[in-house]
Amino acid sequence: MNLEKVDKSRFEPKRPGSQDIAWCPGCGNFGIRNILITALAELGLNPNEVAIISGIGQAAKMPHYIKANGYHTLHGRAIPIATGVKTANPELTVIAEGGDGDMYAEGGNHLLHAIRRNPDITVLIHDNQIYGLTKGQASPTTMKGIKTPTQPWGVFEEPFNVIALAIALDASFVARTFMGYFRESVEIIKKAIEHKGLAIVDIFHPCVSFNKVNTYAWYREHTYWMDDHDSYDREAAFKRAIETDPLPLGVFYINEKPTFEELVPAYKRDKTPLWKREPKVEEIRKILDIKRRL
Amino acid sequence: MVEFREDLSVVLGGAAGQGIQTVEEILTRTLKFSGYNVYANKEYMSRVRGGINTTEIRVSSKRVRAFVKKIDILIPFKRGVLPWVKDRISESTVVIGEKENVEEEFLEKIHFIEVPLTKMALDVGSQLYLNTIAAGIVVGIFRGEFSAVEEYLKERFGSKGENVVQKNIEAAKKGYELGLKLLKEGTVKVEVQRKEKVRDEILLSGAEAVALGALAGGMNFLSFYPMSPSTGVAVFAAQHAEDFEIVVEQVEDEISAINMALGAWYAGARAMVTTSGGGFALMTEALSLAGMAENPIVIHLAQRPGPATGLPTRTMQGDLNLVLHAGHGDFPRIILAPGNIEEAFYMSAEAFNLADRYQVPVIILTDQYLVDTYYNLPELELDKVKVEKHIVEAKPGYRRYELTEDGISPRAIPGYGEDVVVANGNEHDEWGDITEDAELTVRMQEKRAIRKLETIRKNAPLPRLIGGEDAKYIIVAWGSTLHIVEEAIEKLGRDDVALLHFSWLYPLNPEAKKFFEGKTIIAVELNVTGQFAELLRKELGVEVHHRVLKYDGRAFSVEEVLDAINGVVE
Ligand SMILES: Cc1ncc(C[n+]2csc(CCOP(=O)(O)OP(=O)(O)O)c2C)c(N)n1
Ligand code: SF4
């Protein structure tokens, strides 16, 4: 495909409310939007085939700034909702999107169980290592020592290492990128979307308003690309996952396994999305007949 | 000699793990198959072994569907059962069992028929057969069809091997012959008419009815986290998931359960969650999301006493206020409370049409009493269930939250039509994008909380009046107490007392007011404050004059309600 020629405009929303973008000027969220739109367009998808389910936070406003089916839901709940969407209609390309607070704090439990359940959805975490929308409190990925209005003594909790955690749980696809690297990020997100099974992509992005430590320059200086890494080697992936400085970027781990939708009884014989189905009255009659006998 | 006619209450009591449930199953199925009307309900402790559980089985010439306090025949499987049910024992109670299981002080007060259950069981090969022997005795006393017992045991234990089946049949046979002998000797005399028609009727529990109703209504997605007493619905659905080709998923918590179901509805599925009060409490956040995003959802809530973990395996009508007020902000909801097993079926089916049509949470409020009740019913008319889908295509320019006269915006789903569907839990414009516009906020609030609510309200069905329109006294009941109150009024035998039963609880159609004018109103509720009486005041301005309340975690009995009504009417 000639990538220069791909028409991204079909993902540009023209709705009145989508024109007033609520992100701060200079925020990394703009870059992620551009990356996502590019990835979707390059994959040849259409807006009505895609559903973006977000939680709450600055990152979670994405469904309003892209033309695609969207559901802006509750803090931490994007993953179960996205799972429901995908399971009801496996023909859709489903993306769950939110910030690090959204996905790792409030939604942490759902993330763990989504890894076990393995629905074929892509989870994009805008990881700015801070809470944006609520104005700069520490998030689960805020680094130790950083002072915030609500941690004036400096964060002393261990930051959450989602990459190591996901590999430990034998997740299906685990990657990390920094939105400052456009082309690489597009490729990673395309791979994640194309991957069959739960794909987790932790996306570093600066919060210019509240995170004065993890800036564009900081991410460039403290990350590197894993060029010589075998993503199918779990042990090697885990070793990379626990490196801290510099932080590796790229696809850490791929583990191909059946998805949730493939295993639920609903789709074993019949792939029709649930909305097209009718109740099986004959099966009810059968049960009632058994209840008539003994 | 003791003689029983027309309507008997047989109670079996023992420890959890002693197989009371198996006895309940053998008896309800085989006695129904033998042509008797049956009804069963159990009460049990929240423990897996030990304690005392009892099950009441009514066997009757006519239809019976309500819990009675009286015990005609009692079979205790352990010591402690008689003290546990002492209020229910009278001089005509026949106790069948072993002496060591009957406390001294009761021997004088009852008819005791000593039966060496343990020895009989050991003769067959193990103590384990004690419950099957007891079941056999009861079937014998009713001259039930032994072939039905045999067939049931084959089905029930078939997977455990031929030997287990044969031993159980042998045990049941021993009991059965003993039962016949008691009849022949004239120790007991039982006269209950059988009806050929009953044999082919359906024996169903409340939990099964909810699950089957949901399936008939098109449920194709069920997410849940186990919690008594709601789990039976999930068990039933899971066991039939392959045949129905549906999604049944036990998730990490109730928060996930409801959110998944919301996602499923958003994408066009018909989804349900099944839970109890404590689980529903966790779902409250997502209930608000459903309200704001106008996302349909069906919630089955089987009530048990609260607050908190309360009495996990007992019953109460104590969560009406919870489902009425749960969630922050104003948004409409529909609350249904089936009165019996048939209604549990039809209402569970209809709940999906309602959720789809109005795009609101629809809550099916049952309770432990109803989900654990069984009786035979003639038929469920599947043709009566209509699946109405209210999904439109997303045509170009589609607006998910289009402002309309009746407050209902046509709902499209992702992937059907050219355009996209944007749903939102934040305040939004007609397209679904975030807004903070004051004027638009007002219109959206009014759309959801006033116009849509009014549309639902005026279409709400009226309560059912059982009895004369000119009755002086109106007994108000809701949900699962229907037949208990009905039977109490029947026994009362006065035509100036009528029953007004609500199974559609909210929102109330203002026309319902007409039933109350000029009457003395008595509310019968299984909770400590009279939650429904309060709702009547709030919604209709109706003042209830007397409240008959029970809140010990046990169901009302017909006798209790009868006494209470007697105490109020002149
Ligand atoms: C249940 C609930 N708790 C708290 C909040 C307040 N809240 C909104 S966004 C947010 C955190 C946002 O941080 P993050 O998820 O990292 O996203 P960002 O804004 O940085 O993109 C919080 C705590 C909420 N909306 N809902
Ligand atoms: S608060 Fe931070 S993350 Fe949010 S939009 Fe502003 S800069 Fe971006």
Side-chain angles (χ1 to χ4, degrees):
Chain A
M1 190 187 313
N2 183 348
L3 297 182
E4 298 305 310
K5 291 252 174 69
V6 169
D7 173 24
K8 302 194 280 187
S9 68
R10 63 178 181 280
F11 287 97
E12 288 295 346
K14 307 230 163 52
R15 305 183 302 268
S18 64
Q19 304 306 307
D20 174 24
I21 296 193
W23 292 324
C24 314
C27 171
N29 278 323
F30 289 99
I32 299 179
R33 186 188 94 98
N34 197 14
I35 289 164
L36 182 58
I37 285 185
T38 308
L40 293 171
E42 288 183 8
L43 287 172
L45 291 161
N46 286 310
N48 66 348
E49 298 165 338
V50 178
I52 301 177
I53 315 302
S54 69
I56 291 293
Q58 288 291 80
K61 290 177 178 162
M62 189 67 87
H64 305 296
Y65 311 140
I66 286 193
K67 182 171 177 186
N69 294 293
Y71 194 171
H72 189 172
T73 68
L74 292 170
H75 197 42
R77 313 301 173 213
I79 290 178
I81 297 182
T83 305
V85 173
K86 181 71 188 182
T87 314
N89 186 353
E91 290 172 2
L92 295 169
T93 294
V94 179
I95 295 167
E97 197 154 5
D100 39 299
D102 198 13
M103 293 291 188
Y104 301 153
E106 195 85 68
N109 195 34
H110 302 312
L111 180 72
L112 300 186
H113 291 276
I115 293 174
R116 291 180 53 228
R117 192 169 286 124
N118 198 34
D120 182 15
I121 63 173
T122 303
V123 182
L124 302 181
I125 303 101
H126 299 214
D127 189 354
N128 53 10
Q129 303 185 264
I130 203 81
Y131 283 7
L133 187 56
T134 48
K135 301 201 160 94
Q137 303 83 10
S139 90
T141 52
T142 302
M143 296 191 307
K144 274 187 176 176
I146 291 187
K147 292 187 176 169
T148 81
T150 47
Q151 289 80 17
W153 43 78
V155 170
F156 46 70
E157 285 94 344
E158 205 60 54
F160 196 61
N161 184 341
V162 72
I163 304 291
L165 179 97
I167 297 166
L169 292 176
D170 219 8
S172 196
F173 182 101
V174 188
R176 179 161 61 205
T177 185
F178 163 48
M179 51 64 62
Y181 299 119
F182 177 79
R183 182 40 51 195
E184 291 84 345
S185 296
V186 168
E187 293 307 323
I188 285 182
I189 287 175
K190 276 161 67 179
K191 266 192 205 145
I193 292 173
E194 282 190 307
H195 176 81
K196 184 173 74 71
L198 186 87
I200 297 170
V201 187
D202 186 74
I203 310 168
F204 284 141
H205 81 99
C207 167
V208 294
S209 297
F210 299 110
N211 188 339
K212 305 296 181 198
V213 176
N214 308 111
T215 59
Y216 283 91
W218 188 94
Y219 284 121
R220 282 213 172 80
E221 278 161 29
H222 293 271
T223 58
Y224 79 98
W225 287 99
M226 301 181 285
D227 293 326
D228 54 344
H229 173 60
D230 175 6
S231 313
Y232 291 87
D233 181 342
R234 190 172 176 210
E235 238 174 275
F238 198 81
K239 277 196 185 124
R240 298 276 185 152
I242 56 176
E243 289 176 19
T244 46
D245 198 6
L247 293 150
L249 301 177
V251 179
F252 284 80
Y253 185 50
I254 296 174
N255 169 22
E256 277 150 15
K257 54 183 176 178
T259 66
F260 179 59
E261 311 84 76
E262 285 172 340
L263 297 175
V264 291
Y267 297 109
K268 280 201 179 138
R269 285 181 294 243
D270 180 359
K271 305 290 175 213
T272 316
L274 300 183
W275 68 272
K276 291 184 181 163
R277 299 193 184 187
E278 296 299 328
K280 296 194 176 223
V281 183
E282 278 325 301
E283 290 298 327
I284 298 176
R285 266 186 234 286
K286 266 191 225 163
I287 293 174
L288 293 182
D289 279 342
I290 292 168
K291 300 277 175 196
R292 261 181 242 283
R293 284 193 292 115
L294 270 176
Chain B
M1 190 191 78
V2 242
E3 225 184 295
F4 296 111
R5 289 174 183 279
E6 306 300 333
D7 177 13
L8 262 85
S9 147
V10 181
V11 173
L12 302 111
Q18 272 188 313
I20 300 272
Q21 206 172 336
T22 309
V23 182
E24 182 187 277
E25 275 185 22
I26 297 176
L27 292 183
T28 49
R29 284 169 170 74
T30 61
L31 290 176
K32 188 224 74 169
F33 199 77
S34 307
Y36 294 108
N37 282 292
V38 292
Y39 154 97
N41 188 266
K42 55 175 157 289
E43 58 91 18
Y44 53 108
M45 290 181 172
S46 179
R47 50 192 288 178
V48 175
R49 291 271 176 264
I52 292 171
N53 299 343
T54 68
T55 184
E56 170 176 294
I57 299 165
R58 285 180 76 180
V59 188
S60 177
S61 306
K62 37 179 211 135
R63 281 191 197 291
V64 271
R65 297 177 157 196
F67 176 71
V68 288
K69 189 170 159 187
K70 69 158 184 168
I71 298 179
D72 296 315
I73 297 175
L74 176 64
I75 305 184
F77 287 158
K78 68 178 280 198
R79 251 183 125 70
V81 170
L82 275 82
W84 182 250
V85 296
K86 64 174 185 298
D87 298 346
R88 304 175 58 188
I89 294 178
S90 71
E91 276 167 14
S92 62
T93 302
V94 172
V95 177
I96 303 176
E98 294 172 277
K99 208 161 202 159
E100 65 189 67
N101 290 338
V102 180
E103 284 77 358
E104 276 293 306
E105 77 242 43
F106 290 98
L107 282 174
E108 302 261 291
K109 299 180 196 153
I110 52 165
H111 291 271
F112 180 50
I113 302 174
E114 193 172 354
V115 172
L117 286 175
T118 306
K119 187 180 168 293
M120 290 167 79
L122 289 175
D123 283 351
V124 179
S126 155
Q127 280 240 227
L128 286 175
Y129 301 111
L130 204 136
N131 57 355
T132 315
I133 293 174
I137 296 175
V138 178
V139 179
I141 289 176
F142 285 96
R143 287 199 189 82
E145 285 171 34
F146 191 74
S147 61
V149 180
E150 270 182 316
E151 206 168 306
Y152 175 78
L153 291 172
K154 274 183 203 154
E155 243 184 68
R156 171 73 209 258
F157 294 114
S159 60
K160 295 192 175 170
E162 187 54 26
N163 189 41
V164 177
V165 172
Q166 282 316 319
K167 287 284 180 192
N168 272 289
I169 291 177
E170 193 186 325
K173 187 91 191 173
K174 268 183 184 291
Y176 185 73
E177 275 159 5
L178 182 67
L180 290 179
K181 190 167 147 246
L182 295 175
L183 279 182
K184 218 180 270 160
E185 289 169 350
T187 315
V188 286
K189 191 166 176 220
V190 172
E191 263 183 51
V192 181
Q193 279 83 54
R194 307 187 199 203
K195 301 218 162 64
E196 191 55 33
K197 267 198 272 171
V198 169
R199 176 196 270 268
D200 291 328
E201 291 197 351
I202 300 161
L203 187 66
L204 210 61
S205 76
E208 291 168 336
V210 170
L212 277 175
L215 287 163
M219 176 186 79
N220 43 35
F221 191 107
L222 177 79
S223 40
F224 70 99
Y225 188 80
M227 186 168 186
S228 298
S230 68
T231 316
V233 171
V235 171
F236 187 90
Q239 287 180 350
H240 295 93
E242 304 244 346
D243 296 333
F244 283 90
E245 302 192 274
I246 59 170
V247 180
V248 177
E249 177 69 352
Q250 179 180 323
V251 296
E252 58 272 22
D253 54 31
E254 287 84 352
I255 299 172
S256 181
I258 185 167
N259 281 295
M260 236 182 238
L262 288 176
W265 271 101
Y266 165 74
R270 290 200 148 193
M272 179 164 97
V273 295
T274 178
T275 190
S276 183
F280 184 84
L282 285 174
M283 295 180 178
T284 308
E285 177 203 34
L287 196 76
S288 270
L289 174 63
M292 176 53 106
E294 306 194 44
N295 199 327
I297 179 80
V298 175
I299 301 169
H300 168 242
L301 193 168
Q303 299 168 98
R304 71 192 216 188
T309 315
L311 288 164
T313 60
R314 305 212 172 267
T315 201
M316 204 165 277
Q317 293 180 312
D319 292 340
L320 174 58
N321 282 340
L322 173 71
V323 296
L324 199 58
H325 302 292
H328 51 289
D330 286 306
F331 61 93
R333 63 199 73 199
I334 294 172
I335 305 172
L336 312 172
N340 61 15
I341 292 173
E342 286 92 334
E343 272 190 1
F345 176 82
Y346 295 116
M347 292 192 114
S348 299
E350 183 60 13
F352 290 83
N353 293 337
L354 294 169
D356 207 357
R357 183 183 318 145
Y358 298 119
Q359 305 164 34
V360 293
V362 179
I363 297 146
I364 305 162
L365 203 55
T366 65
D367 49 35
Q368 181 267 327
Y369 174 74
L370 182 61
V371 293
D372 282 338
T373 290
Y374 284 85
Y375 55 71
N376 55 292
L377 46 100
E379 193 54 83
L380 287 176
E381 288 167 60
L382 297 181
D383 303 336
K384 263 201 194 166
V385 176
K386 296 268 176 293
V387 171
E388 299 164 12
K389 292 198 182 176
H390 299 267
I391 293 173
V392 301
E393 205 180 324
K395 299 239 172 74
Y398 173 72
R399 284 169 291 162
R400 171 67 192 89
Y401 299 108
E402 188 185 333
L403 288 158
T404 58
E405 195 57 42
D406 60 1
I408 292 156
S409 319
R411 186 172 71 98
I413 56 166
Y416 177 39
E418 260 177 76
D419 212 335
V420 298
V421 183
V422 182
N424 194 349
N426 292 262
E427 191 54 276
H428 40 254
D429 61 18
E430 291 186 79
W431 287 268
D433 289 314
I434 302 174
T435 187
E436 299 210 21
D437 183 282
E439 195 251 340
L440 195 53
T441 301
V442 167
R443 289 169 69 191
M444 286 294 175
Q445 289 276 348
E446 288 173 354
K447 164 193 200 274
R448 291 182 299 262
I450 298 176
R451 287 216 306 285
K452 195 199 266 193
L453 180 61
E454 282 315 310
T455 302
I456 303 171
R457 180 172 271 142
K458 68 169 195 265
N459 291 320
L462 294 175
R464 185 147 61 110
L465 184 72
I466 303 171
E469 274 186 28
D470 41 8
K472 183 168 170 228
Y473 298 96
I474 292 287
I475 316 276
V476 175
W478 62 276
S480 70
T481 57
L482 168 65
H483 292 304
I484 299 165
V485 180
E486 193 184 21
E487 193 172 325
I489 294 177
E490 237 173 70
K491 291 226 156 73
L492 185 73
R494 291 172 55 143
D495 49 16
D496 59 347
V497 179
L499 167 62
L500 188 64
H501 182 265
F502 287 80
S503 45
W504 175 295
L505 303 187
Y506 183 85
L508 289 175
N509 192 323
E511 280 184 41
K513 227 181 136 133
K514 68 174 187 220
F515 293 103
F516 298 96
E517 277 150 17
K519 314 278 183 178
T520 300
I521 304 158
I522 305 161
V524 176
E525 291 189 59
L526 209 64
N527 61 59
V528 65
T529 54
Q531 296 185 7
F532 190 68
E534 296 298 327
L535 180 66
L536 284 179
R537 189 207 321 261
K538 190 174 158 237
E539 282 284 293
L540 302 178
V542 166
E543 285 297 334
V544 165
H545 302 102
H546 301 276
R547 294 180 189 200
V548 175
L549 305 174
K550 182 178 175 177
Y551 36 86
D552 60 2
R554 276 75 175 161
F556 270 118
S557 65
V558 172
E559 295 92 329
E560 275 171 326
V561 175
L562 175 61
D563 280 354
I565 301 176
N566 254 323
V568 174
V569 299
E570 295 130 27

